[in-house]
Amino acid sequence: MADAVLFEFLHTEMVAELWARDPDPGPGGQKMNLSVLEGMGFRVGQALGERLPREMLAFREELDVLKFLCKDLWVAVFQKQMDSLRTNHQGTYVLQDNSFPLLIRMASGLQYLEEAPKFLAFTCGLLRGTLSTLGVKSLVTASVAALPTCKFQVVIQKS
Amino acid sequence: MADAVLFEFLHTEMVAELWARDPDPGPGGQKMNLSVLEGMGFRVGQALGERLPREMLAFREELDVLKFLCKDLWVAVFQKQMDSLRTNHQGTYVLQDNSFPLLIRMASGLQYLEEAPKFLAFTCGLLRGTLSTLGVKSLVTASVAALPTCKFQVVIQKS
């Protein structure tokens, strides 16, 4: 009995429930659903971030914070590490997961590619929320070129 | 970093999101929200049940199935065992958790008692769904007399 899949099942149900209310929400409704998911992810990320040991909340380098997301956060949520982390050294980071767990079940063909955004919104929020608790304001977007590989782009917002 | 709390945070967000759409849903809307949560729990329970080792799916005694829920399922979802299991030996079981994790955060006073049902519906469904995969049709209800103690009543439906 694996409790690791509990999050995955619950996430699937959440996405299904939002879309079940309005099976053909149109561009506006689609956007609202994505924003609801992103918001839920943000608050879960914040809450997870608040449970970090204090010393972790005092990262000195931006890059350390991103490495923390790729290792510790990813393992806590998905039981695996992010596959790669790249940066332009100007506040933009690309985090790549070659087999993103929330996409694996639909990874069987190009025809599902357009369904991908609804399975990414929560996780974008999760990254943004955890960063927020760590004192880093950011914009997070996700893109999929070939399932189940997924790239999360984090752009740090300088204040 | 505890991933055990991930489920709890996500569950909280799910409840909040359902009620946020209609802060004062009235008796009918309240009931619909509870039924949505119960349905999500049912499907997650079914999915978890399907991941059981085959030999577990061939329980001989009804009581063994209930014991399985109290031990294995509860540990997988809540990282603790149910505190007690009682039965009238006529198909009714009462499962008691003296500090139900999804109620602990609101366990500070009687004034929150009326809010409790929304934090129990998903888990009622979870029990019913897992039982369903194990071949047992049931009705599951929950009651709270004093927070955070919670009783789940399982009534087996004989076919």
Side-chain angles (χ1 to χ4, degrees):
Chain A
M1 189 103 190
D3 46 303
V5 293
L6 189 61
F7 164 72
E8 207 180 302
F9 291 154
L10 205 56
H11 178 271
T12 305
E13 283 301 319
M14 240 163 47
V15 172
E17 171 53 31
L18 281 172
W19 267 262
R21 301 201 158 200
D22 186 358
D24 188 13
Q30 178 90 358
K31 222 167 173 175
M32 205 192 75
N33 282 345
L34 291 178
S35 134
V36 165
L37 280 173
E38 207 271 347
M40 294 171 89
F42 180 78
R43 287 182 298 275
V44 171
Q46 274 189 315
L48 284 179
E50 278 160 14
R51 293 179 63 97
L52 296 175
R54 284 291 114 188
E55 65 267 29
M56 286 218 183
L57 293 172
F59 286 117
R60 247 166 281 161
E61 301 282 340
E62 203 173 86
L63 187 60
D64 293 330
V65 177
L66 272 293
K67 281 183 184 167
F68 168 79
L69 298 181
C70 292
K71 286 190 190 174
D72 302 72
L73 179 70
W74 228 240
V75 167
V77 178
F78 299 113
Q79 290 78 49
K80 59 170 286 195
Q81 291 193 19
M82 194 76 83
D83 290 296
S84 74
L85 168 63
R86 274 173 294 179
T87 176
N88 66 353
H89 300 288
Q90 291 177 355
T92 297
Y93 297 84
V94 176
L95 293 65
Q96 180 167 328
D97 188 329
N98 295 335
S99 56
F100 183 54
L102 300 180
L103 288 177
I104 280 183
R105 267 154 223 269
M106 53 182 294
S108 38
L110 264 179
Q111 70 269 37
Y112 299 114
L113 208 51
E114 64 185 40
E115 297 285 315
K118 59 170 98 158
F119 295 97
L120 303 174
F122 179 89
T123 309
C124 287
L126 190 78
L127 288 166
R128 193 169 66 85
T130 309
L131 282 167
S132 158
T133 299
L134 292 166
V136 178
K137 220 177 143 191
S138 65
L139 282 180
V140 181
T141 52
S143 62
V144 175
L147 291 165
T149 297
C150 178
K151 285 181 189 176
F152 296 93
Q153 177 169 290
V154 177
V155 181
I156 309 295
Q157 308 290 291
K158 306 287 180 194
S159 53
Chain B
M1 189 104 190
D3 45 302
V5 293
L6 188 60
F7 163 72
E8 205 180 304
F9 291 154
L10 206 55
H11 178 271
T12 305
E13 282 302 319
M14 241 164 46
V15 173
E17 172 52 30
L18 280 172
W19 266 262
R21 301 200 160 200
D22 186 357
D24 187 14
Q30 178 90 355
K31 222 168 172 174
M32 205 193 75
N33 281 346
L34 291 178
S35 135
V36 165
L37 281 173
E38 206 273 347
M40 295 172 87
F42 180 77
R43 289 183 297 276
V44 171
Q46 275 189 315
L48 284 178
E50 278 159 15
R51 294 179 62 98
L52 298 176
R54 283 292 115 186
E55 64 268 27
M56 287 217 182
L57 293 173
F59 286 117
R60 249 167 277 161
E61 303 281 342
E62 205 174 84
L63 187 59
D64 292 331
V65 177
L66 271 294
K67 281 183 183 165
F68 168 80
L69 298 181
C70 291
K71 284 189 191 175
D72 302 71
L73 179 69
W74 228 242
V75 168
V77 178
F78 300 114
Q79 290 78 50
K80 60 169 286 196
Q81 292 193 19
M82 193 77 82
D83 291 297
S84 74
L85 168 63
R86 273 174 294 180
T87 176
N88 67 353
H89 299 288
Q90 293 178 355
T92 298
Y93 297 84
V94 176
L95 294 65
Q96 180 166 328
D97 189 329
N98 295 335
S99 56
F100 183 54
L102 300 180
L103 288 177
I104 281 182
R105 267 153 222 270
M106 53 183 292
S108 37
L110 264 179
Q111 69 269 38
Y112 298 114
L113 208 52
E114 64 184 41
E115 297 286 315
K118 59 170 98 159
F119 295 98
L120 303 173
F122 179 88
T123 308
C124 287
L126 190 79
L127 288 166
R128 194 169 66 84
T130 310
L131 282 167
S132 159
T133 299
L134 292 166
V136 178
K137 221 177 142 190
S138 65
L139 283 179
V140 182
T141 52
S143 62
V144 176
L147 290 165
T149 296
C150 178
K151 285 181 189 178
F152 296 92
Q153 177 169 290
V154 177
V155 180
I156 309 295
Q157 307 290 292
K158 305 289 180 192
S159 53

